[in-house]
Amino acid sequence: MKLIIIAAFLAIAAAVPSSYKPEYKAPSYSAPSYPAPKYPAPAYPAPAYPAPAYSAPAYSAPAYSVPAYSAPAYSVPAYSAPAYSAPAYNKDNKYADITITSQSDVRNLDGSSQWSYAQSDYTTREESQVQKKMQGVTYDSYGKESYGEVLGNTNKGSSYWVSPEGEKFTLTWTADDAGFQPKGDHLPVAPVHEYELPVAPVHEYELPVAPALPYSRTGPGY
């Protein structure tokens, strides 16, 4: 039956003129709108990496050689000795040729000392000092004054010289807690004043006598 129907269609098609061409219109389709699919973000576990193991590098200490320096060679400067001209002394200066003939100076650990000198013009001087406890004024760190025992220097000495006129002088002295005490024949002497001390007047007078008043004793036994 199917074969018969197919054959009938083929016969009809063969009978249709060949100039006939059916007009075919292409169908228009609207573009379908599809919603964008939502995909969940995949969760990836963080990979675990083993910590790398580093071995400390071994460095060998550098070997330094001590540099050898040669000492610089300096030439010694040559200095010419200064030329000093002899001082010109006045021929009328009688002290120009005086020189020191002897001299000594001794300092001791206990604070005492002795020194002396002599000159070619016969001038001499000698002096010594020692420390001594004495009464005197002292001051504390606040400036407060007090009187008490202090340690001071005592000094004594002598000097001899000849004046331009040829006169010879000798001076001796002592300096201690009593002050400076010079002695010498050339030193002036204070004048001595002789005077009579005044006498206080004597007053002669009679002392008054108290009057005798009569009285009698009274009481037990009288």
Side-chain angles (χ1 to χ4, degrees):
M1 183 65 181
K2 290 180 180 181
L3 294 176
I4 295 173
I5 294 171
I6 293 171
F9 276 108
L10 292 174
I12 294 170
V16 176
S18 60
S19 61
Y20 175 76
K21 293 182 180 178
E23 183 178 358
Y24 177 76
K25 292 182 179 181
S28 60
Y29 301 99
S30 61
S33 59
Y34 299 99
K38 296 182 179 180
Y39 300 100
Y44 298 101
Y49 298 102
Y54 297 101
S55 59
Y59 298 101
S60 59
Y64 297 101
S65 59
V66 179
Y69 297 101
S70 58
Y74 296 102
S75 59
V76 178
Y79 297 101
S80 59
Y84 297 101
S85 59
Y89 295 103
N90 186 353
K91 63 179 181 179
D92 296 330
N93 185 1
K94 61 181 65 178
Y95 305 106
D97 298 329
I98 298 176
T99 59
I100 300 296
T101 57
S102 65
Q103 184 176 0
S104 67
D105 190 355
V106 179
R107 310 287 171 144
N108 302 316
L109 295 177
D110 59 356
S112 62
S113 63
Q114 304 87 30
W115 61 273
S116 64
Y117 68 87
Q119 299 181 168
S120 59
D121 63 345
Y122 305 107
T123 299
T124 62
R125 179 169 178 173
E126 59 182 13
E127 190 171 343
S128 64
Q129 68 170 9
V130 294
Q131 291 190 336
K132 175 185 175 182
K133 291 183 178 179
M134 58 186 71
Q135 297 296 317
V137 178
T138 59
Y139 299 90
D140 59 12
S141 57
Y142 296 98
K144 183 179 180 181
E145 178 180 326
S146 61
Y147 188 82
E149 188 176 80
V150 296
L151 190 64
N153 288 334
T154 62
N155 183 287
K156 64 179 180 179
S158 64
S159 182
Y160 171 83
W161 71 96
V162 180
S163 69
E165 294 77 21
E167 188 177 0
K168 300 177 181 180
F169 294 92
T170 300
L171 175 67
T172 61
W173 67 87
T174 301
D176 53 19
D177 50 349
F180 181 69
Q181 307 149 48
K183 293 181 181 180
D185 296 337
H186 61 287
L187 296 178
V189 180
V192 179
H193 297 280
E194 296 181 0
Y195 56 91
E196 186 177 352
L197 295 176
V199 179
V202 178
H203 297 280
E204 296 181 358
Y205 57 90
E206 186 178 352
L207 295 175
V209 179
L213 300 176
Y215 66 93
S216 62
R217 295 182 180 181
T218 59
Y222 294 98

